[in-house]
Amino acid sequence: MGAPLSAASVRDIVRRRATAAGLPDVYSAHSLRSGFVTEATTQNIPLADTIAMTGHRSVASVLGYFRASGSNPAASLLERQDDTA
């Protein structure tokens, strides 16, 4: 197994993939954590399980990553992928 990715590498990967998907230049490595917390909440995953996965130390901290919105622009990527299968 190789060395873990650096924070800068994760940031660069997220930015490149977001650009390739045609998304605005506002995504970063923190977007992954925010997306995970938001999706876990949407799927009614117990908060304790989410905290265990993210490593947050407080409920307030993990809830700071939750993004309430009507839709996620990246979700359309899954729909497009399913159409080509």
Side-chain angles (χ1 to χ4, degrees), residues 17-39:
R17 299 301 294 168
T19 299
L23 298 172
D25 189 27
V26 295
Y27 293 94
S28 69
H30 262 69
S31 301
L32 296 175
R33 183 174 268 193
S34 180
F36 177 81
V37 169
T38 301
E39 186 63 19

Side-chain angles (χ1 to χ4, degrees), residues 30-54:
H30 262 69
S31 301
L32 296 175
R33 183 174 268 193
S34 180
F36 177 81
V37 169
T38 301
E39 186 63 19
T41 303
T42 301
Q43 292 192 25
N44 297 316
I45 303 299
L47 190 55
D49 292 346
T50 301
I51 290 171
M53 291 294 295
T54 63

Side-chain angles (χ1 to χ4, degrees), residues 54-81:
T54 63
H56 285 100
R57 293 185 183 161
S58 73
V59 171
S61 183
V62 75
L63 291 179
Y65 283 90
F66 176 73
R67 301 291 178 254
S69 68
S71 67
N72 179 340
S76 65
L77 296 174
L78 294 175
E79 292 168 9
R80 284 186 240 148
Q81 181 181 7

